[in-house]
Amino acid sequence: MVETAKTSSGDIVYEAAGLKKEFDGGKVAALRGVDLQIRQGEFVAIIGPSGCGKSTLLASLGSLDRPSAGTLTYRGNSIPDMPDPAAYRAHEIGFIFQSFHLLPTFTVAENVQIPMFEGNKSRSQRKERAVQLLKSVGLDHRLGHFPSELSGGERQRVAIARSLANGPSVLLADEPTGNLDSDSAQQIMELILQLHRDLGMTLVLVTHDLTIAERASRIIAMRDGRVISDQAADTPTTALQ
Amino acid sequence: MTFFTIILRSLIRRPVRTGLTLVGISIGIAAVVALVGMAWGYEKSIEKQLDVIGVDLLVSNMSAGIMPKVFDASLQEPISKLPHVAETTSVLMQLLSVEDAPMMMVSGREWDGFTWNKLEVVEGRMPKNADEPAVVLGRLAAEVLKKKVGDTVQLETSELPVVGIVDGKAVVENGAIILSLSVMQKATANEGKINFVDIRLAPGTSKQAISELSEKIRVIFPEGRARAANEVVSANQGFRIARAMSWSTSLLAIVVGVLGVMNTMLMTVFERTHEIGILLAVGWRRQRVLLMVLCESALLGLLGGITGVTLGAIGLKILEHTPAIRGLLEPDLSAKLLLISVAIAVVVGVISGLYPAWRSSRLSPSIALQS
Ligand SMILES: Nc1ncnc2c1ncn2[C@@H]1O[C@H](COP(=O)(O)OP(=O)(O)OP(=O)(O)O)[C@@H](O)[C@H]1O
Ligand SMILES: [Mg+2]
C-alpha cells in the first residue's frame, strides 16, 4: 500500500509538521505543533515529563489516533489519509505497549498469530511463524501457556514477537520496560536493540529512563506538547554509566 | 488457530452467560418447534385421513368457524347425479367436548356409505342398522375416554352405548367417535342437516372435469364449495387460525430470543472494548472485527437452535402422549421443520449481532492505549 518509490528521497520514514492533537473538544492540547523527521534505520528515543504528549505522538505515528491539525507522513504518504490504515498497522509497523496488551484468553502462540489474520498466511504458516518468532525471543518453551501464567518480562517478549508478526520495518514502543523490574527491563531492551540492529528496523521508543534514551541514535525531548530539543546522542551510553 | 477458534474462545470464556443465553434462545426455538409442529401435524393427520378413506372431493360451507357450517341433507342427491361422481356420502362432523376430553372429533356418517365400510372392527361389532342408538370408538378415542365395549358415552344429552372399537388407519379416524348420521343428527339436534358431502370420483377423472364438476356444484349449492380433499385442509379457517396462532406465538418467542442474544452481545462488546482496541491496533480491519462479533452471535444462534430443536422435539413427543391431545393429532416432526427452526435461530443470532457488531467496529484503536 506504500509506494516504495517515494522512500528513496533521503529515506525519511516519518515527517511531521505543525502536528497538533486536542482532546475533549479542545480543552486538552496534548500536541501543540510538533515538527520532526525520522529516517530509515534510526533509533529515536522520545523523553519528557509525564503528560507532555509522548504517547499521543507515538499513537499518531502508529495511526492509532487521528491528529487534529498539521501534517504527518509515513514514507511520503499522509498517515491520517491512508486508504487502508489497518494494513499500515498490520504490515508496516509493530507497536509495543507498556502494559503488554496481550489477549488473556489466548495462548502465547495464539497471541502472536492474531495480527497474521491480516495477510495471506495459511493456518500452518501462521503457526510456524509464531513458533519461529517466539523462539527468537526465547519463549518457544511456553507456546501453550496463557499470558497470566507468565512473568512481566516474558509477557513483553510475547508482545514483541506479536509486533513482528507480519515483518514490519518500524517498531513503535511506548515505555516497553515501564512495568518491569530492572533485570527484565535490561533484557527486554537488549532484545529490542538487537531487533533494531539485526533487522535494521527503525525504532521509535518512548521512555522515562535516561540510561535507555542514551543508547539511542537521537533523543527528542518534549515538554507541554512541543519538541524542546532534538539531538544526536553521539556519546555511547556505556561511557555515561 | 483459525478465525473460528477466536469466535469459539470468546463464547467459552464466559460459560455462564453463554449458557444462559443458550437457554433463552433454545426455549424460544423449542416453542417454535412445538407450536408449528402441532399445527402442521394437525393438518397432516386430516390429509392422511381423507386419503385413507378414499375421498376425492369434499363439499362443504367453510365460511365460518373451525368446522364447516351445517346445510340441508337434501343437497346430497343432486350432487350425486352429476357427471364423474362415482359415489357420495353425507357426513355431520363436529368437535365436541365429551366427558373428560375437551375436544373430540365426533363423526356421524351416512349408514352404509363408503366412509363406514372402510372401518375395520377390532373389538365388538358395528351398529346393527342406521337407527340403532350406538357408537363405535376409534382405538385412540377408546383409550383417551377409557371406554371399552359395553360402556356408554355421553354425547350432548344422549347416553349411547359403545358397541365396538374400530381401526380407521389414520390418527384422526382412530381418535374419533363414529356413529350413524341419523343418530348424530338426533344427538346434536341437527335433524336433516349435514356439513360434508364426500365424493368419490369415477376413475381417471381429469383435472378439467373436476373443475367443471366444481362449477356445477356451485350452481346447486351457492354457499358451498367443492374442494379436493387436501385443499380442504389448507382452506379451513380453523387450520388457518391454528397456523396463524402458532406462527405469531413463535414470532413472539423469536423476538424475545433476539433481545436476549442482543443483550448478551452488547454486554460482551462493552466488556471487550479494550480487547477490540488491541485487535484494531495490531492491524485488524474493522470488517474483521464486525465479522467476529457477527459470527459469535450467529454461533450462539446455531447452538441455541440445535438445543432448542432437541428440546422442542422432546416436548412434542411428550405432548403427543398427553391424554388431552392424544388421538387428535400426530405432531409433525419433519426434517423440514427442524431445519427451518435451526435456520430461524441462526437468523436470530445474526440479526441480534448486527448492532453490537456495528458498535464494535466503530471503536477506535486508540482504546488500546488505555490500560
Ligand atoms: N484520550 C484522552 N482524552 C483526554 N485527554 C487525553 C487523552 N489522552 C491523553 N490525554 C492528555 O493529553 C496529554 C498528553 O498525554 P500523553 O499520554 O501523550 O502523555 P505522556 O507524555 O505519554 O505521559 P506519560 O509519561 O505519563 O505516559 C495529557 O495531559 C493527557 O491527560
Ligand atoms: Mg505515555
Side-chain angles (χ1 to χ4, degrees), chain B residues 18 25 27 94 105 111 149 155 171 191 257 260 262 282 356 360 368:
Chain B
T18 303
I25 183 167
I27 287 175
Q94 306 210 294
M105 193 73 88
W111 184 250
V149 174
L155 212 61
V171 165
E191 273 93 347
M262 193 182 298
V282 302
S360 57

Side-chain angles (χ1 to χ4, degrees), chain B residues 143-160:
Chain B
E143 264 182 62
V144 171
L145 293 167
K146 300 192 188 70
K147 301 281 183 190
K148 358 182 246 305
V149 174
D151 293 346
T152 60
V153 281
Q154 186 75 31
L155 212 61
E156 304 288 77
T157 57
S158 322
E159 193 167 329
L160 300 169

Side-chain angles (χ1 to χ4, degrees), chain A residues 23-24 28 30 49-56 175 208:
Chain A
F23 288 106
D24 300 333
V28 182
S50 183
C52 71
K54 305 182 295 293
S55 296
T56 307
E175 303 198 37
H208 276 320

